[in-house]
Amino acid sequence: MKVYSNATTRKISRPRNEKSKQDRRPHSRKNTIYKKFVNWQILSLVFILGIVFISFFTSLMIEKNIFVIFLVNILTFFFVWNKLYQMIYDLKILFFFNGKYGLDTSPLQCEDYPTISFVVPSFHEPFHVVKMTLDSIIETPYKGKKEIIVVDNSTNTLSKDFLLLKDYVQELEAVYSIRHISTKFIHNCKTDTLKPGNLDLAEQFIEDGEFVVILDVDSTLPKEEKLLENAIAEFLSDNKLGFLQFSMRATNYHFSDLTQSIAFSQDLHRLRLTSRGFGGYKIFEGHNGMWRKIVLEKVGAWTDYYRGNIMITEDILKSALVYSHGYYGKTLNITTGEWVPNSLNALESMWMRWTYGTSQVLFKYFRDIYGKTVSMVEKFDITYHVLHHFSQGFIFPTAIVFQVFIPGSVTNAFICFTYLLPQLIGATISLSNSNTICRLKIPFVKKIKYTYSGFFLIDTFIMSTQLNSSINFLLRIPQGWKVTEKGIENSRTRDHSLLNKSFHLMLVGVTFAACGLSWIVHYNMDTSKIIHIVLLGFMNTNLLLCILVFRKIGRKKYNNIESATINHVIR
C-alpha cells in the first residue's frame, strides 16, 4: 500500500473549455440500448395531455380577463409539462419496469480481465462506515485485478477516524495482495475543491485501471450478482458507452422513522433515474457507477467554477460533457446500496446542493447539454431533469399567488395536478413495485405510515428546500458543501432549534396568511367556503409537520452498520 499527499505531487491541468477543431465537430453516436423505456410515443402523449389540461384550465377561467387567462396559462404550462412527464413515466414504471429490465448482455467471459480502479473520496467520515464500503469492494466478485484508491481531504490528520482509515487501507493490500488487490491512500491537502478535487487527484494515481468505479463512503456492492463482469461486458459491446450507472437502493432505512420515510421517497427517485437511463439522457448520479477511463480523460477535470464558486454537482457536469464529446451513459439494472440522510439537516443540505448545482450546470453548459450530439428524445428528457428542481420549488409561491388572486376551482385544480395527484401516483408505485422499499417485511399499516411521511411530509419539505436553493442561486448567494451526516449524532452535536428552519417556517407563515386572507377577502369568512383553502392548507400543514416530527431525529448508537449493506437488503 502506498500513502501519498498532493502536497508533493505534480498538478495535472486539463482545461475543459479549450477544444481543438476536431473536438468541436459533431460526433456520430449509436448506442446499444435496444430496449428503450423513454421514447417518442410517450413524449407525444405528454404533449396531447398537456393541451387537454390547458384547455380544461382555461375553461375554469372563462369569466376572467383575456390577459389574466393568457398569463396564468403561460405560468401553468411550465408545471403541467413537467408533472405530466413525471406522472406518465411513473405509471409506466408501475406496469412495465422490474428488476430484470434491460439486462440483456451476457456476463464477461475471457481469459484476460481488465483492471478496475475503485475511487472512494472521503472527508471527515466515520471509519466504520468507510470500512463497510472498502469491505464491499473486496467481497464483490471479479476475476480481474482491483485497484482501490481512497482520497481523503480531512483537515484533522490526527483524528482517530483518519488514522484508522489510513492504517486499514494499508492492511488491505497486505492481506489481499494474493488476490491481485492493490490499495492507495492519498491525503488531499486542498479542502476548497471539495469532492471534485478528490476525484481529480484520484485520477492522477490510477495506474492500470481501464475502467473506474466511483463510490461514496456509504456505498455497497452485491456479493451474489456478477455486477462487475456484466458492466465490463456492456463497455466492450459499445465503444461509445462512456459510463454505466448502477441501480441504487437505500440500505440504512431501518435506522429511524425518518430514514424509513426518506427511503420510500428516495428509492422512487432513484428508480425514476434508473428507468429513464434506457433511452433517455442518462445522468451520472455521483456514485455507484463505472466509467471508461479514456472518457474521463477526454472530458476533463471534475473541478469547475461558475460565477467564482465551485460547481457542486460534478456528476451532472460530467454527464453533460460526456454527451457533448459523442459518448453516452446508460443504466445497468443491478442493485447496489447507498445510505439516505440520517437527519433533516442532512436531507436539507443534500437537496440544497443538488438544486443549486443543477442550476449552475444548466446556465454554464447549456450549449453542451443541448448540442448536436444529443437526440431530441434525450433533450426532452434532460429538460425535465434540470427544470424539475425549479418546477418543484415554485409550486408553493405559484399556489399562494393563485390562492390570493384567483381562488377557487383554478387554485384547487393547480394544486391537485401539481402536488396531490403526482404524490399519490408515486406512493402507489412505492407500495407495489418490487424495486422500491415495498419489499420490506413490515405490517401494511406501517408501510402506509412511511409512504405518507415520505411522499407528503418529506417531499413537501424537499419542495421548500428546492425553492430556497433556487432563490439563493438567482440572488447569487453562494451555496456551500456540507457533508451528509453518517456518524452517531446526539443533542450536543445537532441544532434542533426551530430557527434552524427559518426559511421553511417563514414559508409556512406566508402560506397560512394567504389562506386566511383569501378566506376573508373572497369568501367573507363563510365556513361553507373553507373547502377552497383546504388543499393549500393541507400542503402547508405537511411542511410544518415534517419539521415538528423529524427535526430531532438522527443516527443513534444502536444503529449498527452490519445490517446497512445491499447484501443484507436483497436477501
Side-chain angles (χ1 to χ4, degrees):
M1 195 278 294
K2 301 174 184 178
V3 178
Y4 301 87
S5 170
N6 70 329
T8 57
T9 58
R10 178 171 59 90
K11 183 178 180 180
I12 298 177
S13 176
R14 297 196 303 273
R16 178 178 291 111
N17 296 323
E18 297 178 9
K19 295 183 180 180
S20 65
K21 291 183 179 180
Q22 184 176 0
D23 290 330
R24 295 192 190 103
R25 296 172 189 165
H27 298 258
S28 62
R29 170 170 63 83
K30 292 183 179 180
N31 63 50
T32 55
I33 303 176
Y34 302 114
K35 194 172 184 179
K36 295 191 176 183
F37 196 77
V38 180
N39 52 47
W40 270 111
Q41 290 86 344
I42 297 296
L43 292 179
S44 302
L45 182 60
V46 170
F47 179 74
I48 293 170
L49 291 179
I51 294 176
V52 171
F53 180 83
I54 291 297
S55 301
F56 167 73
F57 209 63
T58 301
S59 69
L60 298 178
M61 299 182 289
I62 198 67
E63 298 178 357
K64 301 291 183 181
N65 181 282
I66 187 67
F67 176 74
V68 173
I69 295 175
F70 175 78
L71 189 63
V72 170
N73 278 337
I74 289 295
L75 183 62
T76 306
F77 179 79
F78 171 68
F79 298 100
V80 168
W81 179 85
N82 199 275
K83 286 300 179 180
L84 271 173
Y85 196 89
Q86 174 187 313
M87 288 189 287
I88 290 174
Y89 274 108
D90 278 357
L91 291 172
K92 193 173 180 181
I93 288 172
L94 181 62
F95 295 107
F96 300 107
F97 196 84
N98 56 50
K100 299 299 181 183
Y101 191 97
L103 287 178
D104 302 323
T105 304
S106 301
L108 184 66
Q109 299 291 337
C110 63
E111 295 181 2
D112 186 19
Y113 287 80
T115 299
I116 299 177
S117 298
F118 295 82
V119 174
V120 183
S122 175
F123 177 73
H124 291 301
E125 303 288 3
F127 165 69
H128 61 284
V129 179
V130 191
K131 180 180 179 298
M132 172 190 72
T133 297
L134 297 179
D135 291 345
S136 174
I137 296 173
I138 298 293
E139 293 169 359
T140 195
Y142 185 63
K143 297 177 181 178
K145 180 182 176 182
K146 297 177 183 176
E147 179 184 33
I148 302 173
I149 303 173
V150 178
V151 183
D152 193 301
N153 61 337
S154 299
T155 54
N156 184 3
T157 57
L158 297 178
S159 69
K160 181 180 178 181
D161 285 319
F162 182 89
L163 295 174
L164 285 172
L165 176 58
K166 181 178 177 181
D167 292 341
Y168 187 69
V169 175
Q170 184 174 1
E171 292 173 7
L172 285 178
E173 181 160 359
V175 174
Y176 293 103
S177 59
I178 193 173
R179 289 171 54 180
H180 305 291
I181 297 175
S182 63
T183 62
K184 294 184 181 75
F185 181 86
I186 305 166
H187 177 235
N188 186 358
C189 299
K190 295 181 63 177
T191 59
D192 58 330
T193 54
L194 311 173
K195 179 182 176 181
N198 281 353
L199 293 173
D200 284 332
L201 186 59
E203 281 189 45
Q204 299 179 30
F205 288 90
I206 295 175
E207 294 182 359
D208 305 317
E210 298 177 45
F211 301 94
V212 182
V213 173
I214 297 175
L215 302 173
D216 270 356
V217 297
D218 54 12
S219 301
T220 50
L221 306 176
K223 286 193 283 187
E224 303 301 328
E225 303 278 357
K226 293 184 178 180
L227 171 72
L228 301 177
E229 293 176 10
N230 275 279
I232 297 297
E234 292 279 1
F235 280 103
L236 296 182
S237 67
D238 185 1
N239 60 9
K240 285 297 182 181
L241 179 60
F243 68 88
L244 270 176
Q245 177 65 58
F246 307 147
S247 178
M248 286 189 275
R249 287 183 186 172
T251 54
N252 66 328
Y253 56 85
H254 55 288
F255 279 4
S256 67
D257 283 350
L258 175 62
T259 52
Q260 289 270 27
S261 302
I262 295 175
F264 267 76
S265 171
Q266 189 158 310
D267 270 9
L268 180 57
H269 172 71
R270 295 300 189 191
L271 182 58
R272 286 167 176 158
L273 292 172
T274 296
S275 63
R276 296 205 324 274
F278 294 99
Y281 191 112
K282 182 59 197 152
I283 294 291
F284 177 59
E285 298 170 45
H287 55 279
N288 292 34
M290 181 181 288
W291 285 76
R292 194 187 298 270
K293 185 173 182 289
I294 60 171
V295 173
L296 285 176
E297 294 171 345
K298 284 184 178 181
V299 300
W302 294 85
T303 307
D304 199 0
Y305 295 86
Y306 180 66
R307 294 175 179 172
N309 298 313
I310 192 167
M311 298 181 73
I312 53 180
T313 49
E314 74 291 336
D315 41 9
I316 299 178
L317 162 65
K318 208 74 165 179
S319 304
L321 295 173
V322 165
Y323 279 84
S324 71
H325 279 74
Y327 295 91
Y328 75 104
K330 70 177 183 180
T331 297
L332 180 61
N333 196 16
I334 295 179
T335 306
T336 59
E338 67 167 347
W339 281 16
V340 295
N342 292 312
S343 69
L344 205 58
N345 285 345
L347 178 70
E348 180 180 25
S349 175
M350 182 179 76
W351 277 99
M352 288 286 287
R353 188 172 71 245
W354 286 357
T355 304
Y356 197 99
T358 300
S359 302
Q360 288 178 315
V361 175
L362 175 63
F363 276 74
K364 182 166 183 177
Y365 288 100
F366 183 88
R367 293 181 63 183
D368 290 279
I369 292 173
Y370 294 98
K372 294 181 180 180
T373 59
V374 181
S375 70
M376 287 302 298
V377 172
E378 291 169 339
K379 286 175 181 176
F380 274 103
D381 192 59
I382 189 59
T383 300
Y384 161 77
H385 182 87
V386 297
L387 295 184
H388 181 69
H389 301 293
F390 281 100
S391 81
Q392 281 286 94
F394 282 93
I395 287 174
F396 253 113
T398 304
I400 290 172
V401 171
F402 283 4
Q403 185 69 64
V404 172
F405 295 103
I406 47 174
S409 56
V410 173
T411 304
N412 291 338
F414 176 80
I415 296 174
C416 280
F417 191 82
T418 60
Y419 177 74
L420 193 60
L421 186 57
Q423 299 309 109
L424 287 173
I425 292 175
T428 302
I429 295 171
S430 187
L431 284 172
S432 56
N433 191 284
S434 60
N435 283 51
T436 62
I437 204 78
C438 80
R439 65 192 178 277
L440 293 181
K441 296 179 180 179
I442 59 176
F444 185 73
V445 173
K446 282 195 172 183
K447 287 186 179 181
I448 295 294
K449 168 189 171 183
Y450 294 133
T451 302
Y452 180 82
S453 296
F455 287 93
F456 288 95
L457 302 192
I458 296 298
D459 274 5
T460 308
F461 179 80
I462 291 173
M463 287 168 53
S464 178
T465 301
Q466 290 172 314
L467 175 62
N468 188 10
S469 185
S470 297
I471 292 173
N472 286 349
F473 177 78
L474 295 173
L475 297 179
R476 300 195 177 192
I477 299 173
Q479 172 64 45
W481 183 309
K482 294 181 181 178
V483 176
T484 305
E485 300 162 347
K486 303 175 187 72
I488 307 298
E489 300 168 80
N490 53 58
S491 59
R492 290 191 298 264
T493 61
R494 294 186 296 119
D495 183 6
H496 297 159
S497 173
L498 287 174
L499 293 177
N500 192 40
K501 298 291 177 283
S502 56
F503 177 86
H504 308 285
L505 293 175
M506 180 187 69
L507 183 60
V508 167
V510 169
T511 306
F512 277 137
C515 290
L517 181 65
S518 177
W519 188 41
I520 294 170
V521 173
H522 296 285
Y523 303 110
N524 297 316
M525 300 180 69
D526 184 350
T527 54
S528 65
K529 303 293 185 180
I530 203 168
I531 186 66
H532 293 298
I533 65 172
V534 164
L535 288 181
L536 182 57
F538 170 71
M539 186 165 67
N540 202 39
T541 301
N542 286 329
L543 175 58
L544 181 59
L545 282 176
C546 183
I547 297 170
L548 296 178
V549 172
F550 293 129
R551 68 189 178 90
K552 292 186 178 181
I553 296 179
R555 186 180 163 209
K556 302 299 182 182
K557 291 181 179 180
Y558 52 79
N559 295 144
N560 66 78
I561 66 167
E562 285 77 12
S563 57
T565 68
I566 191 61
N567 297 300
H568 181 271
V569 169
I570 61 178
R571 275 188 213 169

